[in-house]
Amino acid sequence: GRAISMGLNLSFYPIVDLLKQWAEIGVEDDAATAFTRLQASIHELFQDETASVLPFVATLMGLNPPDPYRQRLAGIEGEALEKLIRKSMRELLIRLSQIQPLVVVIDDVHWADVSSIAMLEFLFRLSQSERILFINLFRPGYEETGQRILDTTAEDTSLYSVAIHLEPLDDHMSEMMIRDLLDLNGFNHAVVDQIIRRASGNPYFI
């Protein structure tokens, strides 16, 4: 899944993106098709227990489940609904990890909304007991998202975690990357120097 630059105003956006990737829901799919794909994916995992999970995962994704699934949501709101959504996500990841080891990758976490960060912190504890690896990629300097995750995992001694800080490429490494990407025969070296200077060691900018 991936957060986006306007994600602070989009609840659970990277979690929803993750679920869409898993359920193979495309950008062109309408709500009915998206729900059908989600239903099929969850049913494959939960079989007769589908109704205990599907309505809450669909709600998280902003999908309005039809009856009889909608009836499972009747009278449930606020904190009670939030707990059931979290429980359903937890059970979903556990089932997936029982089939094969699971890697959950969330990119651009620095742009995630607070609800997504809270959800991830809740799910991280699964790494203690299940075959799940969480990889969270983010830029430094974002207190409410990336830094919050670093602080949470550092404080919670029950979590198996490691922080990997990627330093900017130096000039030599930057030039090596440029040469790997381009055919530099006859290429003006001043342009290479300009790329190195303007990219400031960021391989994406290179």
Side-chain angles (χ1 to χ4, degrees), residues 112-168:
D113 64 290
V114 175
S115 63
S116 294
I117 299 298
M119 173 70 80
L120 288 171
E121 288 175 332
F122 171 76
L123 296 173
F124 287 162
R125 292 181 179 86
L126 291 173
S127 64
Q128 186 179 8
S129 57
E130 310 299 330
R131 301 186 300 171
I132 303 178
L133 171 66
F134 294 92
I135 299 178
N136 308 286
L137 301 132
F138 50 86
R139 299 176 190 171
Y142 288 76
E143 292 295 327
E144 294 184 353
T145 52
Q147 188 59 49
R148 174 173 161 176
I149 285 178
L150 287 176
D151 294 342
T152 297
T153 53
E155 292 170 4
D156 192 338
T157 55
S158 69
L159 296 176
Y160 303 98
S161 65
V162 60
I164 302 174
H165 300 275
L166 300 181
E167 299 295 334

Side-chain angles (χ1 to χ4, degrees), residues 13 17 20-21 24-31 33-34 37:
Y13 185 92
D17 190 41
K20 285 181 176 180
Q21 298 284 342
E24 298 183 354
I25 297 172
V27 293
E28 301 297 327
D29 290 336
D30 58 23
T33 302
R37 292 184 184 277

